[in-house]
Amino acid sequence: MALRIIAFLGALVAGIIWVSVLSLVIPENSLPGDLLLDLNTSSFPYPFTIQNLMWIVSFVGIGELLVRYLVGSGEYHQLGKQLLPEDSQTVLRKQDVGVLYQTIRPTDPEGKYWLQRMVSRSILAFQSTGSVEQVSSVFNSTLELYQHEVDLRYNMLRYLVWLIPTLGFIGTVVGIALALKSVGANFAEAGQGADLSQLGPQLMQSLTQKLGVAFYTTLLALLQSAVLMLAMHLIQGHEEGALNKVGQYCLDNLINRLYEKR
């Protein structure tokens, strides 16, 4: 939890710094200024634009991705500690797993890592039942629960990936509405006797320019969402791969070594 809070606050600061740097570097009245920041906005008081909000949300998503990557890497690191016997001869009896349990528990007192949790749960099941079949059932159920746990960890990221295009569509709708309102106001100011042959092209140019800026929010949102979605799938695969490795390690070096007295 502390890591997520730190990552969230760091992502907010990084997003604000990123927007500030872009505001200083990108010139006004330019395509990058309209696309990335909406520097020439007439819809929102700068810097409170839809694009800037999308950048900050994107950085929050990047911070969450960093947390998930570090967690997955931590699970991989546990596999290198050789907590279970890895030779080809060791067999674990009921009295052996008790000693193994006392050895493994101190390596993860907070119960953060899948490997220690999975081993501890399997050992306790074997001590209470003495049945390898029961331990295998507990092991399979535990593995399914952890797979569901991984999926739940990405709920916030999925929401952020959905939120960014939604903000982009909101910006586009607001931009279209304000552009049409501006055209209507110009026609009303011109009055009934105005020369539409002169007024029409000017209004059309103004309308198309404002509509183009309005659609930039959706374009930027789709690009940001696509990048976050790709990163999310890669890092989720990294974390799920760690869980699969942990499951295989426990199956090979614990479950298949248990000796049940007949």
Side-chain angles (χ1 to χ4, degrees):
M1 182 61 70
L3 180 61
R4 293 189 67 182
I5 294 174
I6 293 172
F8 175 76
L9 295 177
L12 283 179
V13 173
I16 293 172
I17 293 174
W18 173 256
V19 170
S20 301
V21 170
L22 289 182
S23 301
L24 294 174
V25 172
I26 297 177
E28 296 183 6
N29 301 316
S30 64
L31 177 60
D34 290 335
L35 173 61
L36 300 178
L37 299 172
D38 199 8
L39 279 173
N40 308 304
T41 180
S42 58
S43 306
F44 306 95
Y46 194 83
F48 303 104
T49 64
I50 294 291
Q51 276 97 327
N52 289 346
L53 178 59
M54 290 191 303
W55 279 118
I56 292 175
V57 173
S58 297
F59 271 84
V60 171
I62 292 172
E64 185 71 15
L65 286 170
L66 179 61
V67 171
R68 298 267 52 87
Y69 178 80
L70 292 176
V71 169
S73 298
E75 299 290 350
Y76 274 110
H77 179 69
Q78 299 304 307
L79 294 171
K81 292 185 175 182
Q82 297 181 333
L83 299 177
L84 296 174
E86 299 179 8
D87 58 88
S88 58
Q89 299 176 347
T90 300
V91 174
L92 297 173
R93 296 166 298 177
K94 198 169 185 179
Q95 59 268 31
D96 298 325
V97 296
V99 177
L100 185 62
Y101 179 83
Q102 296 299 326
T103 304
I104 289 177
R105 285 296 294 173
T107 64
D108 183 27
E110 298 178 0
K112 296 191 303 182
Y113 298 109
W114 289 321
L115 177 58
Q116 287 86 336
R117 290 159 60 192
M118 197 174 292
V119 170
S120 299
R121 188 170 295 181
S122 299
I123 289 176
L124 291 176
F126 186 62
Q127 286 183 319
S128 61
T129 64
S131 169
V132 176
E133 183 178 353
Q134 289 294 327
V135 175
S136 297
S137 177
V138 170
F139 174 79
N140 291 330
S141 299
T142 301
L143 195 58
E144 291 179 2
L145 287 173
Y146 290 166
Q147 289 172 343
H148 184 57
E149 180 181 311
V150 172
D151 189 61
L152 289 177
R153 289 176 176 179
Y154 286 82
N155 281 345
M156 178 57 69
L157 272 170
R158 281 191 283 267
Y159 171 73
L160 293 177
V161 170
W162 169 87
L163 177 62
I164 292 172
T166 301
L167 291 174
F169 292 139
I170 290 173
T172 297
V173 171
V174 171
I176 292 174
L178 293 178
L180 295 177
K181 181 179 179 180
S182 175
V183 171
N186 288 333
F187 270 116
E189 289 178 2
Q192 294 182 351
D195 187 0
L196 295 181
S197 63
Q198 298 293 329
L199 185 61
Q202 297 176 0
L203 292 177
M204 184 58 67
Q205 182 180 2
S206 174
L207 177 62
T208 54
Q209 182 179 2
K210 291 179 179 179
L211 289 178
V213 174
F215 284 113
Y216 288 153
T217 57
T218 297
L219 176 59
L220 179 62
L222 294 176
L223 292 174
Q224 291 175 338
S225 179
V227 172
L228 275 181
M229 181 65 77
L230 174 62
M232 185 184 75
H233 282 297
L234 291 175
I235 292 178
Q236 186 173 0
H238 173 75
E239 197 167 2
E240 290 177 347
L243 177 58
N244 288 336
K245 289 288 186 181
V246 168
Q248 293 173 14
Y249 183 78
C250 290
L251 186 62
D252 294 338
N253 300 304
L254 177 63
I255 306 300
N256 291 341
R257 295 177 185 271
L258 295 177
Y259 174 74
E260 177 184 351
K261 282 188 176 182
R262 300 292 183 181

